[in-house]
Amino acid sequence: MRSLGRVLSVVGIFGFLFLLSLSNSTIRAVVNESPRMLGVSNVIGALTAVGIFVPWLMAFYDWGTRFRGKPESKRRWGLALVLTMFVGAGAIG
């Protein structure tokens, strides 16, 4: 489960970097000119969303079911997980 989370996280990071490169007008124009490149860009965007949200859900599940520690520490980690989801959603959106 951890290996899958790590692989998906790496996919999410590289996908996010690719999508960030689309903020350059020259790269965006090249991608928009070719229907094939636009399709590849859409697939990378979908894989990026999966690569960000699935590991987050896995971490949230792990936090809820297997966390060992003080209740105060569990609450802090839960708050951190929820706040990082807003960062991930903002990065994709």
Side-chain angles (χ1 to χ4, degrees):
M1 189 160 147
R2 287 184 185 189
S3 298
L4 177 64
R6 288 178 183 151
V7 169
L8 287 173
S9 294
V10 169
V11 167
I13 290 167
F14 283 120
F16 176 74
L17 292 176
F18 172 75
L19 295 175
L20 190 60
S21 74
L22 292 177
S23 64
N24 183 334
S25 59
T26 306
I27 295 173
R28 188 173 53 245
V30 169
V31 169
N32 287 335
E33 286 176 5
S34 169
R36 181 170 284 164
M37 285 297 292
L38 191 58
V40 168
S41 176
N42 289 335
V43 169
I44 290 174
L47 290 175
T48 300
V50 169
I52 289 175
F53 293 119
V54 170
W56 181 85
L57 288 171
M58 291 168 70
F60 193 72
Y61 173 78
D62 189 59
W63 166 80
T65 59
R66 298 186 181 125
F67 188 86
R68 305 288 182 247
K70 298 178 182 177
E72 299 86 27
S73 181
K74 184 175 182 175
R75 281 192 286 270
R76 278 195 307 262
W77 276 106
L79 181 61
L81 277 170
V82 170
L83 292 177
T84 57
M85 191 56 188
F86 287 110
V87 172
I92 294 296

